[in-house]
Amino acid sequence: MNVKIDKNLCIGCGLCEENVPELFSTGEFTAELKKTLLTKELLERAAEAAEDCPAEAITIDGKSDES
């Protein structure tokens, strides 16, 4: 699965960083991803951050390769 931040939509509010600081960091104007390799738990938390994002700038696409 891929977590993406649309920098055109992101308003830099910092809510994602507040909720999942090990994955997101808020720069001067927009959020950025700290990691690209994610555990199942981190993906679940990223999904929650995506739901909470007021600008709907976080998306998660693809499917997980769980064995």
Side-chain angles (χ1 to χ4, degrees):
M1 295 184 131
N2 294 317
V3 177
K4 296 179 183 175
I5 300 171
D6 186 329
K7 301 224 182 250
N8 293 320
L9 294 176
C10 181
I11 58 173
C13 70
L15 186 58
C16 58
E17 180 179 24
E18 186 178 311
N19 290 334
V20 193
E22 56 273 49
L23 179 59
F24 299 102
S25 69
T26 305
E28 189 173 341
F29 299 108
T30 61
E32 296 182 8
L33 290 172
K34 291 181 174 180
K35 299 180 179 184
T36 55
L37 186 59
L38 306 177
T39 64
K40 182 179 178 181
E41 177 191 350
L42 213 45
L43 277 170
E44 290 171 358
R45 293 179 62 207
E48 291 174 13
E51 287 180 24
D52 292 344
C53 180
E56 298 181 356
I58 302 170
T59 56
I60 301 174
D61 53 272
K63 65 179 188 178
S64 116
D65 295 332
E66 293 182 57
S67 299

